[in-house]
Amino acid sequence: MRSGDIRGAVMAALLSTLAVLLLGACGTQVAGQNGPTPSATALPWTLSAPIDVTSATLSSDQRTVTLAATVPSGPKPCVRNLKAVLTEPVRNTVHVQVTYDSPSGDRASGCTRTTTAKARVELTEPLGKDELVVGYPGTVFTADGATPPALRLCGDLGCTPPATGCTTGSYEQAVYAVDAPAHTYRDAEHCDGKWLVLDLSWRTGPVCGDPADSACTSRLGDRWFYKAEKPGWKPFFRTTEGGCQAVRDREPDFPTALCASLEPLAPSLHPTYSPSPTASPSS
């Protein structure tokens, strides 16, 4: 064989071997090799709101509010662009929104702990008697009754909860205290200023707008007994029984004047269910 033929054969063999190696490499490549690993992929930073706003302080000129917010933390940066801005005011209230960017929506970020961060906002005018509402649903603060420079954190019943007594506002506080369902009705109140009995009921079944529809009038209910304390009415007992025996077994000081005339709650408010009937043997 001539030397030129030999060189051509060798070159063809080399090219053929190289092609086989390239094809083999393509067929055995593992997904993710020669590309960004999951840990190296940048996590998305998304706009977020604080987990909680725990306190607020007001400058001496009542124009600067400093808010302490609970935000994510971890081994790497978890918060950036933290800011507080004024939003649309409502009568007698100043509304503020606190936001920041964070990758905490992805647990791979490591932002699984929390810390406190502070944000400031300049008011357009002194806060005065207006309430400060932060976020939605709002955390509410007021300067009324506060010890400067701190603002007072208002409770679930607002900044000026009703005085405990035999009043509509006080009864609403009592309903709230037992975590009653939404749209609970007060069917009866027996009150002497120190002790209270509330009969409560609420609709069950499908949601509908026609109270005359029998499907909308089915109810469940409870009878709650309360004692007046400094924060408001405190529930201490509930029963469906009438009279005084059950409540006075729990609280001997409860006055008979408030329980002697109590009738047992209607059975319709506390339905009972029989076990499923056993199927009859086949004939």
Side-chain angles (χ1 to χ4, degrees):
M1 181 181 288
R2 293 178 298 179
S3 61
D5 294 335
I6 294 173
R7 286 196 300 272
V10 171
M11 183 61 69
L14 288 174
L15 290 174
S16 177
T17 302
L18 180 60
V20 169
L21 289 173
L22 288 174
L23 289 173
C26 291
T28 59
Q29 184 174 0
V30 178
Q33 284 186 349
N34 302 323
T37 61
S39 60
T41 303
L43 295 171
W45 286 68
T46 58
L47 186 66
S48 306
I51 300 167
D52 192 14
V53 176
T54 56
S55 66
T57 58
L58 188 64
S59 61
S60 57
D61 64 358
Q62 294 202 356
R63 296 288 296 268
T64 303
V65 175
T66 302
L67 300 166
T70 303
V71 298
S73 70
K76 297 180 180 179
C78 292
V79 172
R80 66 188 183 194
N81 301 328
L82 175 67
K83 60 183 177 180
V85 297
L86 293 174
T87 59
E88 191 67 26
V90 180
R91 184 173 178 269
N92 298 327
T93 60
V94 175
H95 286 254
V96 175
Q97 183 66 54
V98 179
T99 59
Y100 57 86
D101 296 322
S102 177
S104 60
D106 189 331
R107 292 187 63 85
S109 67
C111 301
T112 56
R113 299 192 297 272
T114 60
T115 189
T116 299
K118 293 187 176 181
R120 291 182 178 176
V121 61
E122 298 291 330
L123 308 183
T124 57
E125 57 186 35
L127 181 64
K129 294 185 178 298
D130 288 349
E131 295 176 357
L132 179 74
V133 181
V134 184
Y136 180 84
T139 302
V140 186
F141 298 90
T142 179
D144 184 33
T147 302
L151 294 176
R152 178 168 61 88
L153 176 63
C154 301
D156 295 323
L157 297 171
C159 296
T160 53
T164 304
C166 303
T167 64
T168 298
S170 190
Y171 296 153
E172 292 299 325
Q173 177 266 316
V175 173
Y176 187 87
V178 296
D179 195 24
H183 311 298
T184 293
Y185 297 82
R186 296 193 316 274
D187 295 322
E189 306 96 6
H190 304 271
C191 176
D192 67 0
K194 183 178 179 180
W195 304 94
L196 170 66
V197 186
L198 286 184
D199 287 352
L200 308 175
S201 66
W202 53 92
R203 287 179 179 164
T204 62
V207 176
C208 51
D210 182 8
D213 187 336
S214 60
C216 304
T217 57
S218 176
R219 293 192 181 191
L220 293 175
D222 272 316
R223 171 173 289 149
W224 280 95
F225 296 81
Y226 302 79
K227 183 177 182 179
E229 296 194 355
K230 187 174 181 180
W233 288 113
K234 181 179 179 179
F236 67 89
F237 184 57
R238 69 174 176 176
T239 184
T240 63
E241 297 180 25
C244 295
Q245 185 65 52
V247 66
R248 286 177 64 86
D249 284 346
R250 175 63 64 89
E251 177 52 75
D253 291 336
F254 194 85
T256 57
L258 296 184
C259 57
S261 63
L262 296 177
E263 297 289 338
L265 290 183
S268 61
L269 294 180
H270 287 266
T272 57
Y273 300 94
S274 301
S276 299
T278 304
S280 301
S282 300
S283 53

